[in-house]
Amino acid sequence: MDQDAICYQRFLDGDQEGLAELVERYGDRLCAFLNGIVHNPETAEDLMEDAFAELLARRPRFRGESTF
């Protein structure tokens, strides 16, 4: 299991720092990706926050069939 999958599993097991580490690692890159689609930095930031909020709310399982 890669480090990102380990962080996510920690989050699923109740360690909020696991999700915080993923936000730290991927938040800026996700914003940049989303900004390339919506061409609005504020909207991209909102969408990034929504994506991580969705992880927080739904807590979907990661099957490890690809990298995180």
Side-chain angles (χ1 to χ4, degrees):
M1 196 176 326
D2 68 29
Q3 187 62 33
D4 296 331
I6 291 169
C7 287
Y8 189 64
Q9 188 58 52
R10 285 182 23 232
F11 161 67
L12 291 177
D13 292 340
D15 179 2
Q16 297 299 312
E17 280 300 308
L19 183 61
E21 288 177 33
L22 292 172
V23 171
E24 172 95 16
R25 225 177 253 145
Y26 290 103
D28 290 342
R29 286 187 268 176
L30 182 55
C31 270
F33 172 77
L34 292 167
N35 190 48
I37 295 169
V38 298
H39 307 290
N40 182 302
E42 292 83 18
T43 300
E45 176 118 1
D46 289 344
L47 290 169
M48 180 272 297
E49 291 171 0
D50 289 348
F52 283 110
E54 190 73 17
L55 282 178
L56 186 61
R58 293 186 185 233
R59 304 172 82 83
R61 292 286 164 199
F62 178 66
R63 293 177 282 180
E65 295 173 353
S66 63
T67 59
F68 188 83

